[in-house]
């Protein structure tokens, strides 16, 4: 297998994209679950019985957000050969399906 020559600028851009995915996915997760907690607190105060949505869906949702972000950014990373990019996208797609199953199990 031939070595892939990637410039320092391309490496930095790729790292920047992956870091941006981490920050945005965690930010979206924080906002969504903050709204969910607020709504759940109102319902618990009214009903006095409720399940902790964050307890069962927090971790799967965070990983799903990160995986979706990775799927969006993966084609933008420069200088990756098409064959490697296709396999990586396929792997991340399969991972997303598995994670959605984990999320569904947590929702039940």
């Amino acid at each position: 297998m031939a070595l892939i020559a990637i410039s320092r600028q391309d490496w930095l851009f790729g790292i920047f994209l992956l870091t941006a995915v981490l920050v945005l996915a965690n930010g979206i997760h924080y906002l969504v679950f903050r709204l969910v907690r607020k709504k759940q607190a109102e319902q618990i105060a009214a009903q006095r019985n409720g399940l902790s949505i964050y307890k069962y869906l927090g971790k799967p949702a965070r990983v799903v957000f990160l995986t979706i972000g990775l799927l969006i950014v993966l084609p933008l990373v420069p200088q990756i050969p098409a064959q490697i990019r296709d396999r990586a996208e396929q792997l991340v797609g399969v991972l997303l399906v598995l994670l959605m199953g984990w999320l569904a199990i947590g929702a039940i």
Side-chain angles (χ1 to χ4, degrees):
M1 181 174 215
L3 294 175
I4 302 170
I6 300 176
S7 70
R8 180 179 282 177
Q9 185 178 7
D10 290 338
W11 274 106
L12 290 176
F13 184 67
I15 291 171
F16 170 76
L17 286 175
L18 295 176
T19 304
V21 165
L22 287 172
V23 170
L24 288 174
N26 282 318
I28 291 170
H29 179 269
Y30 174 76
L31 291 175
V32 168
F33 276 88
R34 184 172 179 181
L35 293 173
V36 168
R37 281 186 188 176
K38 184 177 179 181
K39 187 71 173 173
Q40 186 179 15
E42 293 170 0
Q43 289 177 351
I44 288 174
Q47 297 176 354
R48 289 289 180 214
N49 61 351
L51 296 174
S52 176
I53 292 175
Y54 187 78
K55 179 180 177 183
Y56 297 106
L57 298 179
K59 290 180 183 177
R62 182 180 307 266
V63 179
V64 166
F65 287 140
L66 289 170
T67 306
I68 290 171
L70 187 60
L71 270 176
I72 292 170
V73 170
L74 197 57
L76 301 175
V77 178
Q79 301 271 338
I80 295 179
Q83 185 179 14
I84 294 174
R85 180 175 292 155
D86 290 341
R87 295 231 173 134
E89 287 175 356
Q90 185 178 14
L91 179 68
V92 174
V94 169
L95 180 64
L96 182 61
V97 170
L98 294 173
L99 293 172
M100 293 300 285
W102 184 26
L103 188 66
I105 289 170
I108 292 174

